[in-house]
């Protein structure tokens, strides 16, 4: 059975996609830790990041780099945290989390944000 991320990649489930190339996809998390929280996924469904072939792993990290720079430019956080957590969805992914202060990154997701909030953040990141 396809993961929810594969369904997003195949456009079976809607998402606020911020970036896409041949090998990766970046989209807004619907339960963000902070505004602009993105997920970067390989288009190939592989459970764990370290199990990706080197070229796919590099493609994911290249997209992570691009998206971290985009978040910094558009939202101006003090830092952009990166987390590879991966227990919720059996599809390799990297969280990019804009952060305003020191402390631990804890994936204590907020409640699901509204469509209007996702649209607003999506517009900021894609303008």
């Amino acid at each position: 059975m396809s993961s929810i991320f594969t369904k997003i990649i195949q456009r079976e489930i809607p998402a606020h996609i911020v970036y896409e190339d041949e090998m990766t996809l970046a989209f807004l998390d619907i339960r963000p830790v902070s505004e602009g929280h993105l997920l970067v996924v390989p288009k190939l469904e592989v459970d764990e990041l370290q199990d990706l072939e080197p070229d796919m792993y590099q493609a994911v990290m290249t997209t992570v780099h691009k998206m971290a720079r985009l978040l910094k430019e558009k939202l101006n956080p003090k830092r952009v945290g990166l987390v590879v957590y991966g227990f919720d969805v059996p599809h390799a992914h990297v969280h990019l989390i804009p952060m305003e202060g020191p402390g631990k990154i804890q994936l204590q997701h907020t409640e699901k944000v509204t469509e209007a909030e996702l649209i607003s953040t999506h517009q900021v990141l894609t303008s």
Side-chain angles (χ1 to χ4, degrees):
M1 186 158 107
S2 296
S3 76
I4 191 168
F5 295 161
T6 296
K7 290 177 181 180
I8 289 170
I9 292 162
Q10 294 174 347
R11 307 305 199 267
E12 295 172 16
I13 295 175
H16 290 274
I17 297 168
V18 174
Y19 177 82
E20 181 173 16
D21 61 28
E22 291 178 10
M23 299 174 86
T24 66
L25 193 75
F27 53 93
L28 290 168
D29 193 309
I30 63 169
R31 294 181 57 223
V33 172
S34 63
E35 181 187 10
H37 179 171
L38 292 175
L39 298 173
V40 174
V41 302
K43 288 187 174 178
L44 178 66
E45 186 175 321
V46 173
D47 187 17
E48 296 186 56
L49 194 66
Q50 68 273 9
D51 291 336
L52 292 170
E53 292 297 324
D55 61 331
M56 181 66 76
Y57 186 94
Q58 184 60 49
V60 169
M61 288 303 140
T62 296
T63 299
V64 165
H65 181 256
K66 288 176 187 176
M67 294 301 96
R69 292 176 63 95
L70 177 75
L71 288 168
K72 190 73 173 172
E73 175 190 336
K74 299 286 188 169
L75 299 178
N76 197 32
K78 289 186 179 174
R79 295 278 191 266
V80 176
L82 306 178
V83 176
V84 177
Y85 184 66
F87 287 100
D88 294 335
V89 179
H91 189 133
H93 58 286
V94 178
H95 294 261
L96 284 86
I97 304 169
M99 301 170 61
E100 290 306 321
K104 297 180 205 173
I105 295 178
Q106 297 181 8
L107 289 182
Q108 300 296 323
H109 292 276
T110 62
E111 292 300 315
K112 188 173 179 180
V113 295
T114 68
E115 183 68 12
E117 290 170 305
L118 288 170
I119 289 169
S120 175
T121 302
H122 185 260
Q123 288 172 341
V124 169
L125 294 176
T126 57
S127 65

Short mmCIF file of all heavy atoms in Angstrom, two decimals, residues 61-119:
data_model
loop_
_atom_site.label_atom_id
_atom_site.label_comp_id
_atom_site.label_asym_id
_atom_site.label_seq_id
_atom_site.Cartn_x
_atom_site.Cartn_y
_atom_site.Cartn_z
N MET A 61 19.07 15.70 -0.12
CA MET A 61 19.84 16.69 0.63
C MET A 61 20.03 17.99 -0.16
O MET A 61 20.07 19.07 0.43
CB MET A 61 21.19 16.11 1.05
CG MET A 61 21.06 15.08 2.14
SD MET A 61 20.24 15.78 3.60
CE MET A 61 19.22 14.43 4.08
N THR A 62 20.12 17.90 -1.47
CA THR A 62 20.19 19.11 -2.29
C THR A 62 18.90 19.91 -2.17
O THR A 62 18.92 21.14 -2.02
CB THR A 62 20.48 18.75 -3.76
OG1 THR A 62 21.78 18.13 -3.82
CG2 THR A 62 20.45 19.97 -4.66
N THR A 63 17.77 19.21 -2.18
CA THR A 63 16.48 19.89 -2.00
C THR A 63 16.36 20.45 -0.58
O THR A 63 15.86 21.57 -0.40
CB THR A 63 15.31 18.94 -2.33
OG1 THR A 63 15.44 18.55 -3.71
CG2 THR A 63 13.96 19.62 -2.12
N VAL A 64 16.82 19.71 0.41
CA VAL A 64 16.83 20.22 1.79
C VAL A 64 17.60 21.54 1.85
O VAL A 64 17.14 22.52 2.45
CB VAL A 64 17.42 19.18 2.76
CG1 VAL A 64 17.78 19.80 4.10
CG2 VAL A 64 16.45 18.01 2.96
N HIS A 65 18.75 21.57 1.22
CA HIS A 65 19.58 22.79 1.20
C HIS A 65 18.83 23.94 0.55
O HIS A 65 18.78 25.06 1.09
CB HIS A 65 20.89 22.48 0.46
CG HIS A 65 21.82 23.63 0.40
ND1 HIS A 65 21.99 24.38 -0.74
CD2 HIS A 65 22.62 24.18 1.34
CE1 HIS A 65 22.88 25.33 -0.50
NE2 HIS A 65 23.28 25.25 0.75
N LYS A 66 18.23 23.70 -0.61
CA LYS A 66 17.47 24.74 -1.30
C LYS A 66 16.31 25.25 -0.46
O LYS A 66 16.06 26.46 -0.39
CB LYS A 66 16.91 24.22 -2.64
CG LYS A 66 17.92 24.01 -3.71
CD LYS A 66 17.28 23.41 -4.95
CE LYS A 66 18.32 23.05 -5.98
NZ LYS A 66 17.72 22.37 -7.14
N MET A 67 15.60 24.34 0.18
CA MET A 67 14.42 24.73 0.95
C MET A 67 14.80 25.44 2.25
O MET A 67 14.11 26.37 2.67
CB MET A 67 13.55 23.50 1.26
CG MET A 67 12.91 22.87 0.02
SD MET A 67 11.85 24.01 -0.92
CE MET A 67 13.00 24.59 -2.19
N ALA A 68 15.90 25.05 2.86
CA ALA A 68 16.38 25.76 4.06
C ALA A 68 16.73 27.20 3.70
O ALA A 68 16.39 28.14 4.43
CB ALA A 68 17.57 25.03 4.67
N ARG A 69 17.38 27.39 2.58
CA ARG A 69 17.72 28.75 2.13
C ARG A 69 16.46 29.55 1.80
O ARG A 69 16.36 30.73 2.09
CB ARG A 69 18.67 28.68 0.94
CG ARG A 69 20.05 28.15 1.35
CD ARG A 69 20.98 27.98 0.17
NE ARG A 69 21.26 29.24 -0.47
CZ ARG A 69 22.33 30.02 -0.22
NH1 ARG A 69 23.21 29.63 0.68
NH2 ARG A 69 22.50 31.14 -0.88
N LEU A 70 15.47 28.89 1.18
CA LEU A 70 14.20 29.55 0.87
C LEU A 70 13.50 29.99 2.15
O LEU A 70 13.02 31.13 2.26
CB LEU A 70 13.29 28.60 0.08
CG LEU A 70 11.90 29.14 -0.24
CD1 LEU A 70 11.96 30.18 -1.34
CD2 LEU A 70 10.97 28.00 -0.64
N LEU A 71 13.42 29.11 3.14
CA LEU A 71 12.79 29.46 4.41
C LEU A 71 13.50 30.63 5.07
O LEU A 71 12.85 31.55 5.59
CB LEU A 71 12.77 28.25 5.36
CG LEU A 71 11.80 27.13 4.98
CD1 LEU A 71 12.09 25.88 5.80
CD2 LEU A 71 10.35 27.57 5.14
N LYS A 72 14.81 30.61 5.05
CA LYS A 72 15.59 31.69 5.65
C LYS A 72 15.31 33.01 4.93
O LYS A 72 15.11 34.04 5.56
CB LYS A 72 17.08 31.34 5.58
CG LYS A 72 17.97 32.25 6.36
CD LYS A 72 17.84 32.01 7.85
CE LYS A 72 18.90 32.83 8.57
NZ LYS A 72 18.74 32.81 9.99
N GLU A 73 15.26 32.98 3.61
CA GLU A 73 15.02 34.18 2.81
C GLU A 73 13.60 34.72 3.00
O GLU A 73 13.40 35.92 3.18
CB GLU A 73 15.25 33.87 1.34
CG GLU A 73 14.91 35.01 0.41
CD GLU A 73 14.92 34.61 -1.05
OE1 GLU A 73 15.60 33.63 -1.42
OE2 GLU A 73 14.23 35.27 -1.84
N LYS A 74 12.62 33.84 2.95
CA LYS A 74 11.22 34.28 2.93
C LYS A 74 10.64 34.53 4.32
O LYS A 74 9.80 35.42 4.49
CB LYS A 74 10.35 33.27 2.19
CG LYS A 74 10.72 33.07 0.74
CD LYS A 74 10.30 34.22 -0.12
CE LYS A 74 10.51 33.90 -1.60
NZ LYS A 74 9.88 34.88 -2.46
N LEU A 75 11.03 33.73 5.31
CA LEU A 75 10.43 33.85 6.64
C LEU A 75 11.38 34.44 7.68
O LEU A 75 10.96 34.80 8.77
CB LEU A 75 9.93 32.48 7.13
CG LEU A 75 8.84 31.84 6.26
CD1 LEU A 75 8.46 30.48 6.82
CD2 LEU A 75 7.62 32.74 6.15
N ASN A 76 12.66 34.49 7.36
CA ASN A 76 13.69 35.10 8.20
C ASN A 76 13.74 34.56 9.63
O ASN A 76 13.83 35.33 10.59
CB ASN A 76 13.53 36.62 8.20
CG ASN A 76 14.77 37.31 8.69
OD1 ASN A 76 15.88 36.82 8.49
ND2 ASN A 76 14.60 38.44 9.36
N PRO A 77 13.71 33.25 9.82
CA PRO A 77 13.87 32.71 11.17
C PRO A 77 15.34 32.83 11.60
O PRO A 77 16.23 33.00 10.76
CB PRO A 77 13.47 31.24 11.01
CG PRO A 77 13.89 30.93 9.61
CD PRO A 77 13.58 32.19 8.82
N LYS A 78 15.59 32.71 12.90
CA LYS A 78 16.98 32.73 13.36
C LYS A 78 17.74 31.50 12.86
O LYS A 78 18.91 31.59 12.54
CB LYS A 78 17.02 32.80 14.88
CG LYS A 78 16.59 34.16 15.39
CD LYS A 78 16.75 34.29 16.87
CE LYS A 78 16.32 35.70 17.28
NZ LYS A 78 16.30 35.88 18.71
N ARG A 79 17.06 30.37 12.82
CA ARG A 79 17.66 29.13 12.33
C ARG A 79 16.59 28.31 11.62
O ARG A 79 15.40 28.48 11.85
CB ARG A 79 18.20 28.26 13.48
CG ARG A 79 19.34 28.85 14.25
CD ARG A 79 20.66 28.61 13.52
NE ARG A 79 21.79 28.95 14.35
CZ ARG A 79 22.40 30.13 14.35
NH1 ARG A 79 21.96 31.10 13.59
NH2 ARG A 79 23.43 30.35 15.11
N VAL A 80 17.06 27.39 10.78
CA VAL A 80 16.17 26.38 10.21
C VAL A 80 16.69 25.04 10.70
O VAL A 80 17.81 24.63 10.35
CB VAL A 80 16.15 26.43 8.66
CG1 VAL A 80 15.29 25.29 8.11
CG2 VAL A 80 15.64 27.77 8.17
N GLY A 81 15.90 24.39 11.54
CA GLY A 81 16.29 23.09 12.08
C GLY A 81 15.94 21.98 11.11
O GLY A 81 14.96 22.07 10.36
N LEU A 82 16.76 20.93 11.12
CA LEU A 82 16.52 19.76 10.30
C LEU A 82 16.33 18.56 11.21
O LEU A 82 17.12 18.34 12.12
CB LEU A 82 17.71 19.48 9.38
CG LEU A 82 18.19 20.60 8.48
CD1 LEU A 82 19.40 20.14 7.68
CD2 LEU A 82 17.09 21.08 7.57
N VAL A 83 15.30 17.79 10.93
CA VAL A 83 15.03 16.60 11.73
C VAL A 83 14.68 15.43 10.81
O VAL A 83 13.86 15.59 9.90
CB VAL A 83 13.84 16.82 12.71
CG1 VAL A 83 13.52 15.55 13.47
CG2 VAL A 83 14.13 17.97 13.66
N VAL A 84 15.32 14.30 11.05
CA VAL A 84 14.94 13.06 10.40
C VAL A 84 14.36 12.21 11.51
O VAL A 84 15.07 11.73 12.38
CB VAL A 84 16.13 12.35 9.72
CG1 VAL A 84 15.70 11.02 9.13
CG2 VAL A 84 16.74 13.25 8.66
N TYR A 85 13.06 12.08 11.50
CA TYR A 85 12.34 11.43 12.58
C TYR A 85 11.78 10.11 12.09
O TYR A 85 12.19 9.06 12.54
CB TYR A 85 11.26 12.40 13.06
CG TYR A 85 10.46 11.96 14.25
CD1 TYR A 85 11.05 11.81 15.50
CD2 TYR A 85 9.10 11.72 14.12
CE1 TYR A 85 10.31 11.43 16.58
CE2 TYR A 85 8.35 11.34 15.22
CZ TYR A 85 8.96 11.19 16.45
OH TYR A 85 8.22 10.82 17.51
N GLY A 86 10.84 10.19 11.19
CA GLY A 86 10.43 9.08 10.38
C GLY A 86 9.64 7.93 10.96
O GLY A 86 9.61 6.87 10.36
N PHE A 87 9.02 8.09 12.11
CA PHE A 87 8.22 6.99 12.63
C PHE A 87 6.76 7.05 12.18
O PHE A 87 6.08 6.04 12.14
CB PHE A 87 8.26 6.95 14.16
CG PHE A 87 9.59 6.47 14.69
CD1 PHE A 87 10.53 7.38 15.14
CD2 PHE A 87 9.90 5.12 14.70
CE1 PHE A 87 11.75 6.95 15.62
CE2 PHE A 87 11.11 4.68 15.17
CZ PHE A 87 12.05 5.59 15.64
N ASP A 88 6.28 8.22 11.87
CA ASP A 88 4.86 8.39 11.55
C ASP A 88 4.48 7.87 10.17
O ASP A 88 3.39 7.37 9.98
CB ASP A 88 4.45 9.86 11.65
CG ASP A 88 4.53 10.37 13.08
OD1 ASP A 88 4.43 9.57 14.01
OD2 ASP A 88 4.69 11.59 13.24
N VAL A 89 5.38 8.02 9.20
CA VAL A 89 5.09 7.63 7.82
C VAL A 89 6.27 6.78 7.32
O VAL A 89 7.41 7.22 7.40
CB VAL A 89 4.91 8.87 6.91
CG1 VAL A 89 4.64 8.45 5.48
CG2 VAL A 89 3.79 9.76 7.43
N PRO A 90 6.00 5.58 6.81
CA PRO A 90 7.09 4.73 6.33
C PRO A 90 7.59 5.14 4.95
O PRO A 90 7.54 4.38 3.98
CB PRO A 90 6.43 3.34 6.30
CG PRO A 90 5.00 3.61 6.01
CD PRO A 90 4.70 4.92 6.71
N HIS A 91 8.03 6.38 4.86
CA HIS A 91 8.56 6.95 3.61
C HIS A 91 9.61 7.97 4.06
O HIS A 91 9.30 8.89 4.82
CB HIS A 91 7.42 7.65 2.87
CG HIS A 91 7.76 8.09 1.48
ND1 HIS A 91 6.92 7.84 0.42
CD2 HIS A 91 8.81 8.77 0.96
CE1 HIS A 91 7.43 8.36 -0.68
NE2 HIS A 91 8.59 8.93 -0.37
N ALA A 92 10.84 7.79 3.63
CA ALA A 92 11.93 8.68 4.04
C ALA A 92 11.53 10.14 3.88
O ALA A 92 10.92 10.50 2.87
CB ALA A 92 13.18 8.38 3.21
N HIS A 93 11.86 10.96 4.88
CA HIS A 93 11.56 12.38 4.79
C HIS A 93 12.39 13.17 5.79
O HIS A 93 12.85 12.64 6.80
CB HIS A 93 10.07 12.66 4.99
CG HIS A 93 9.49 12.19 6.29
ND1 HIS A 93 9.24 10.86 6.55
CD2 HIS A 93 9.10 12.87 7.38
CE1 HIS A 93 8.71 10.74 7.76
NE2 HIS A 93 8.62 11.95 8.29
N VAL A 94 12.59 14.43 5.45
CA VAL A 94 13.33 15.36 6.30
C VAL A 94 12.41 16.52 6.63
O VAL A 94 11.78 17.10 5.74
CB VAL A 94 14.61 15.88 5.60
CG1 VAL A 94 15.34 16.89 6.47
CG2 VAL A 94 15.52 14.72 5.20
N HIS A 95 12.33 16.84 7.93
CA HIS A 95 11.57 18.01 8.38
C HIS A 95 12.50 19.22 8.37
O HIS A 95 13.62 19.13 8.86
CB HIS A 95 11.09 17.82 9.83
CG HIS A 95 10.10 16.72 10.02
ND1 HIS A 95 8.75 16.96 10.11
CD2 HIS A 95 10.26 15.39 10.17
CE1 HIS A 95 8.12 15.81 10.30
NE2 HIS A 95 9.02 14.84 10.34
N LEU A 96 12.04 20.34 7.83
CA LEU A 96 12.73 21.62 7.93
C LEU A 96 11.85 22.52 8.77
O LEU A 96 10.70 22.79 8.40
CB LEU A 96 12.96 22.24 6.55
CG LEU A 96 14.07 21.60 5.74
CD1 LEU A 96 13.54 20.41 4.98
CD2 LEU A 96 14.67 22.60 4.81
N ILE A 97 12.38 22.98 9.90
CA ILE A 97 11.57 23.70 10.87
C ILE A 97 12.18 25.07 11.17
O ILE A 97 13.25 25.15 11.77
CB ILE A 97 11.45 22.88 12.17
CG1 ILE A 97 10.88 21.49 11.86
CG2 ILE A 97 10.59 23.62 13.19
CD1 ILE A 97 10.96 20.51 13.00
N PRO A 98 11.51 26.15 10.74
CA PRO A 98 11.98 27.48 11.11
C PRO A 98 11.92 27.64 12.63
O PRO A 98 10.93 27.26 13.28
CB PRO A 98 10.98 28.42 10.42
CG PRO A 98 10.42 27.60 9.29
CD PRO A 98 10.36 26.20 9.83
N MET A 99 13.01 28.17 13.20
CA MET A 99 13.12 28.30 14.66
C MET A 99 13.51 29.73 15.03
O MET A 99 14.34 30.33 14.36
CB MET A 99 14.17 27.33 15.19
CG MET A 99 13.87 25.88 14.88
SD MET A 99 15.25 24.78 15.26
CE MET A 99 15.43 25.07 17.01
N GLU A 100 12.95 30.20 16.12
CA GLU A 100 13.25 31.56 16.58
C GLU A 100 14.16 31.63 17.78
O GLU A 100 14.62 32.70 18.15
CB GLU A 100 11.94 32.31 16.88
CG GLU A 100 11.14 32.62 15.64
CD GLU A 100 11.94 33.37 14.58
OE1 GLU A 100 12.76 34.26 14.92
OE2 GLU A 100 11.77 33.06 13.40
N GLY A 101 14.42 30.53 18.44
CA GLY A 101 15.28 30.57 19.61
C GLY A 101 15.93 29.24 19.88
O GLY A 101 15.62 28.24 19.23
N PRO A 102 16.85 29.22 20.85
CA PRO A 102 17.54 27.99 21.18
C PRO A 102 16.60 27.01 21.88
O PRO A 102 15.52 27.37 22.33
CB PRO A 102 18.65 28.45 22.12
CG PRO A 102 18.11 29.68 22.74
CD PRO A 102 17.25 30.33 21.69
N GLY A 103 17.04 25.82 21.97
CA GLY A 103 16.26 24.79 22.63
C GLY A 103 16.18 23.55 21.78
O GLY A 103 16.65 23.51 20.66
N LYS A 104 15.59 22.55 22.33
CA LYS A 104 15.44 21.30 21.62
C LYS A 104 14.36 21.43 20.56
O LYS A 104 13.38 22.12 20.74
CB LYS A 104 15.00 20.19 22.58
CG LYS A 104 15.97 19.88 23.66
CD LYS A 104 15.39 18.77 24.50
CE LYS A 104 15.98 18.82 25.89
NZ LYS A 104 15.33 17.88 26.78
N ILE A 105 14.58 20.75 19.47
CA ILE A 105 13.51 20.61 18.49
C ILE A 105 12.70 19.40 18.95
O ILE A 105 13.22 18.30 19.05
CB ILE A 105 14.03 20.36 17.07
CG1 ILE A 105 14.79 21.56 16.55
CG2 ILE A 105 12.88 20.01 16.13
CD1 ILE A 105 15.38 21.35 15.17
N GLN A 106 11.47 19.64 19.27
CA GLN A 106 10.59 18.55 19.66
C GLN A 106 9.45 18.52 18.66
O GLN A 106 8.83 19.54 18.41
CB GLN A 106 10.06 18.75 21.07
CG GLN A 106 11.16 18.74 22.11
CD GLN A 106 10.61 18.93 23.50
OE1 GLN A 106 9.41 18.93 23.71
NE2 GLN A 106 11.49 19.08 24.45
N LEU A 107 9.21 17.37 18.11
CA LEU A 107 8.15 17.27 17.12
C LEU A 107 6.81 17.13 17.82
O LEU A 107 6.13 16.13 17.75
CB LEU A 107 8.40 16.12 16.16
CG LEU A 107 9.54 16.35 15.20
CD1 LEU A 107 9.69 15.18 14.24
CD2 LEU A 107 9.33 17.62 14.40
N GLN A 108 6.47 18.20 18.52
CA GLN A 108 5.17 18.30 19.15
C GLN A 108 4.32 19.12 18.19
O GLN A 108 4.23 20.34 18.30
CB GLN A 108 5.28 18.99 20.51
CG GLN A 108 6.16 18.27 21.49
CD GLN A 108 5.60 16.90 21.83
OE1 GLN A 108 4.40 16.70 21.95
NE2 GLN A 108 6.49 15.93 22.00
N HIS A 109 3.76 18.44 17.23
CA HIS A 109 2.99 19.11 16.20
C HIS A 109 1.84 19.90 16.80
O HIS A 109 1.26 19.52 17.81
CB HIS A 109 2.43 18.10 15.19
CG HIS A 109 3.46 17.43 14.36
ND1 HIS A 109 3.97 18.00 13.22
CD2 HIS A 109 4.10 16.25 14.49
CE1 HIS A 109 4.85 17.20 12.68
NE2 HIS A 109 4.95 16.12 13.44
N THR A 110 1.50 20.98 16.12
CA THR A 110 0.31 21.74 16.49
C THR A 110 -0.91 20.96 16.02
O THR A 110 -0.80 19.95 15.34
CB THR A 110 0.31 23.11 15.79
OG1 THR A 110 0.28 22.90 14.37
CG2 THR A 110 1.52 23.94 16.17
N GLU A 111 -2.05 21.48 16.37
CA GLU A 111 -3.26 20.93 15.78
C GLU A 111 -3.21 21.25 14.29
O GLU A 111 -2.51 22.16 13.86
CB GLU A 111 -4.50 21.56 16.42
CG GLU A 111 -4.69 21.15 17.87
CD GLU A 111 -4.84 19.64 18.06
OE1 GLU A 111 -5.60 19.02 17.29
OE2 GLU A 111 -4.18 19.10 18.95
N LYS A 112 -3.96 20.54 13.52
CA LYS A 112 -3.99 20.78 12.08
C LYS A 112 -4.37 22.24 11.83
O LYS A 112 -5.32 22.75 12.42
CB LYS A 112 -5.01 19.85 11.42
CG LYS A 112 -4.97 19.90 9.92
CD LYS A 112 -5.87 18.83 9.32
CE LYS A 112 -5.85 18.90 7.82
NZ LYS A 112 -6.71 17.88 7.22
N VAL A 113 -3.59 22.91 11.00
CA VAL A 113 -3.86 24.31 10.70
C VAL A 113 -4.93 24.39 9.62
O VAL A 113 -5.20 23.43 8.91
CB VAL A 113 -2.59 25.07 10.27
CG1 VAL A 113 -1.60 25.13 11.42
CG2 VAL A 113 -1.94 24.48 9.04
N THR A 114 -5.50 25.57 9.49
CA THR A 114 -6.57 25.75 8.52
C THR A 114 -6.00 25.82 7.10
O THR A 114 -4.83 26.13 6.89
CB THR A 114 -7.36 27.04 8.78
OG1 THR A 114 -6.50 28.15 8.53
CG2 THR A 114 -7.91 27.09 10.20
N GLU A 115 -6.86 25.58 6.16
CA GLU A 115 -6.48 25.70 4.75
C GLU A 115 -6.02 27.12 4.45
O GLU A 115 -5.04 27.33 3.73
CB GLU A 115 -7.66 25.31 3.85
CG GLU A 115 -7.36 25.34 2.38
CD GLU A 115 -6.38 24.26 1.91
OE1 GLU A 115 -6.08 23.32 2.67
OE2 GLU A 115 -5.91 24.39 0.76
N ALA A 116 -6.68 28.12 5.04
CA ALA A 116 -6.29 29.52 4.83
C ALA A 116 -4.87 29.78 5.33
O ALA A 116 -4.10 30.50 4.69
CB ALA A 116 -7.29 30.45 5.50
N GLU A 117 -4.51 29.20 6.48
CA GLU A 117 -3.15 29.37 7.01
C GLU A 117 -2.12 28.71 6.09
O GLU A 117 -1.05 29.27 5.85
CB GLU A 117 -3.05 28.79 8.42
CG GLU A 117 -3.81 29.60 9.46
CD GLU A 117 -3.91 28.89 10.79
OE1 GLU A 117 -4.39 27.73 10.83
OE2 GLU A 117 -3.50 29.50 11.78
N LEU A 118 -2.45 27.52 5.59
CA LEU A 118 -1.54 26.85 4.66
C LEU A 118 -1.40 27.65 3.37
O LEU A 118 -0.29 27.81 2.85
CB LEU A 118 -2.04 25.44 4.34
CG LEU A 118 -1.89 24.41 5.46
CD1 LEU A 118 -2.64 23.14 5.11
CD2 LEU A 118 -0.43 24.11 5.75
N ILE A 119 -2.50 28.18 2.86
CA ILE A 119 -2.46 28.99 1.63
C ILE A 119 -1.59 30.23 1.84
O ILE A 119 -0.77 30.57 1.00
CB ILE A 119 -3.88 29.38 1.17
CG1 ILE A 119 -4.60 28.14 0.63
CG2 ILE A 119 -3.86 30.50 0.13
CD1 ILE A 119 -6.09 28.33 0.39
#
